[in-house]
Amino acid sequence: EAPSPLSTAVFNGLRLLSPQTWVGLMQVSSRSPFSEFELETLIIATIGLVLPIAIHLSSTWLLESMRHTRPQLGRVLVLSPWVWHCIWQFCLQIRKFTFTMITQVQNRNKPLPCAIQELQNRLSNQRAYQTRRYTVYLPATLDHVLQNNSSTGTATAAAADGDTNGVGIIQPPTRAKIIVFFPGALVPSEAYSELASRLSDNGLIVIVPSLEPCLYAAPNLGIQVDAVSRMMRKVQAELKLDPKHIDWVLGGHSMGAFGAMRLYDQFKKGEPLALFLKEFAIRVKDLILIGVAPFVKECTNLSSYDDANTNRILLIQATDDVLMKMLGDGLDELYTNFPDATTIRKDIIGATHHGFASYNDEDGQITMQEQQSQVCEHIVEFLQIKK
């Protein structure tokens, strides 16, 4: 059963109040090419304000305990030009951050009605299920899972922690391929329902994290490696799949692609620790990136993963991507982060940046449906899924 709107709103509201969320938002804003906010300047200004106050209070306590007169050094520091400069920089950066947040709230995208309808159809036909944190799209070969398990109980929760005793493991005819696909910045997960449905119709299990309430695929905003690994194990348990027969794939669109790159690197580097840390017990071989704009600050260097036996990367780009044209100078630097030996690049002629999802009804040279159909074909071919 899908969570109620009220409980979801309360849950997201509590997450928005978390200090970790605000740290993540500041990190994202400081790296954005569209924001003037500078996190390092804010930190320096904060230290510049706190340090004189700390010196003043500590020196006052020390000298008064020694029965000396109250020191004047602290007052001089508090009234110094440096402190006033720090106050100015602090207020300026807070103003820039606030302006950035207001702008981003105003620029949140809305899924098209066709995407909402597609999601509702999948939920009603038991070809998908939804939680507060993610939506899972199922191939026809697994729709019986929801029919037999309309709700997940304690057995499923135990399986998520690695205990499968008493849990009926379902062995699909072939290895299950599951892709965790991260949405782009300020794009709700529902906007990917049509693309995810196409992929599930071709035998792929697709997990689309909600990324609410901020809609950013970034650290401290819901895609830390431990949180994502926990989500992957939970879905595996909910679907009652044998973890030994699952091929995990990471993917993403736009900023979600950068989040997938970061996680891919973390999973790869954590493989030697799999025996000690269960978040690294999941092995990821394939990475699928679509609509990757040249935001170099967000990019993770993957050029060292050049062994085709353990690493494969699919990069799908749109020839009419507006962000590519705006930031075209960084394309060469962007592509240096990918290994030539294991990266397959596909360009979709006439495709646009927003056409990879269903949140903008303005077609490019090809329709949104045609663009997503080509994306699906490239992914199916890349993953060697037999139709």
Side-chain angles (χ1 to χ4, degrees), residues 300-357:
T300 302
N301 193 331
L302 304 178
S303 59
S304 61
Y305 300 115
D306 54 0
D307 184 354
N309 294 320
T310 56
N311 311 282
R312 294 196 312 153
I313 301 173
L314 174 63
L315 179 61
I316 304 176
Q317 299 287 51
T319 59
D320 290 351
D321 192 324
V322 175
L323 292 179
M324 294 290 187
K325 297 176 181 179
M326 290 175 57
L327 304 168
D329 294 341
L331 277 175
D332 292 338
E333 185 176 357
L334 171 70
Y335 293 139
T336 60
N337 292 282
F338 298 99
D340 294 333
T342 57
T343 301
I344 299 174
R345 178 177 167 183
K346 299 290 185 179
D347 292 332
I348 300 180
I349 307 300
T352 62
H353 187 80
H354 55 257
F356 290 114

Side-chain angles (χ1 to χ4, degrees), residues 124-350:
S124 61
N125 294 329
Q126 296 187 320
R127 288 289 303 280
Y129 68 94
Q130 195 171 38
T131 72
R132 294 188 185 94
R133 291 187 177 273
Y134 53 84
T135 304
V136 181
Y137 296 82
L138 301 174
T141 54
L142 285 178
D143 59 357
H144 61 283
V145 174
L146 297 188
Q147 296 173 4
N148 297 332
N149 303 280
S150 58
S151 62
T152 56
T154 55
T156 297
D161 290 330
D163 180 12
T164 57
N165 294 328
V167 180
I169 298 297
I170 296 175
Q171 178 60 48
T174 59
R175 293 184 64 84
K177 293 183 181 292
I178 308 180
I179 178 173
V180 183
F181 191 87
F182 297 99
L186 303 178
V187 181
S189 60
E190 294 84 354
Y192 295 86
S193 61
E194 293 189 299
L195 177 60
S197 295
R198 288 178 184 271
L199 293 172
S200 67
D201 287 341
N202 283 274
L204 193 66
I205 301 172
V206 185
I207 306 172
V208 185
S210 71
L211 301 184
E212 292 285 1
C214 302
L215 298 183
Y216 282 116
N220 296 312
L221 295 178
I223 69 160
Q224 305 84 264
V225 66
D226 58 335
V228 174
S229 178
R230 186 164 55 249
M231 176 186 67
M232 296 163 77
R233 295 196 307 273
K234 189 171 187 292
V235 172
Q236 169 261 311
E238 290 168 349
L239 299 181
K240 298 184 178 180
L241 297 173
D242 188 342
K244 297 180 181 179
H245 294 85
I246 297 177
D247 293 329
W248 288 101
V249 183
L250 293 179
H253 168 226
S254 191
M255 187 171 180
F258 293 118
M261 291 175 66
R262 188 180 301 108
L263 285 169
Y264 186 82
D265 182 56
Q266 291 173 338
F267 274 115
K268 289 295 182 181
K269 290 180 178 177
E271 286 182 356
L273 303 175
L275 294 176
F276 310 101
L277 300 174
K278 63 181 179 180
E279 57 261 34
F280 294 116
I282 294 176
R283 297 298 178 93
V284 179
K285 177 181 178 181
D286 298 323
L287 178 65
I288 298 173
L289 311 172
I290 64 177
V292 185
F295 297 142
V296 180
K297 289 184 178 180
E298 291 287 341
C299 202
T300 302
N301 193 331
L302 304 178
S303 59
S304 61
Y305 300 115
D306 54 0
D307 184 354
N309 294 320
T310 56
N311 311 282
R312 294 196 312 153
I313 301 173
L314 174 63
L315 179 61
I316 304 176
Q317 299 287 51
T319 59
D320 290 351
D321 192 324
V322 175
L323 292 179
M324 294 290 187
K325 297 176 181 179
M326 290 175 57
L327 304 168
D329 294 341
L331 277 175
D332 292 338
E333 185 176 357
L334 171 70
Y335 293 139
T336 60
N337 292 282
F338 298 99
D340 294 333
T342 57
T343 301
I344 299 174
R345 178 177 167 183
K346 299 290 185 179
D347 292 332
I348 300 180
I349 307 300

Side-chain angles (χ1 to χ4, degrees), residues 103-116:
T103 302
Q104 292 174 353
V105 169
Q106 294 173 342
N107 290 335
R108 283 172 65 105
N109 296 283
K110 294 183 179 180
L112 294 176
C114 59
I116 298 296

Side-chain angles (χ1 to χ4, degrees), residues 110-120 193-194 358-359 361:
K110 294 183 179 180
L112 294 176
C114 59
I116 298 296
Q117 186 61 48
E118 178 65 29
L119 175 59
Q120 294 302 322
S193 61
E194 293 189 299
S358 305
Y359 62 94
D361 56 2

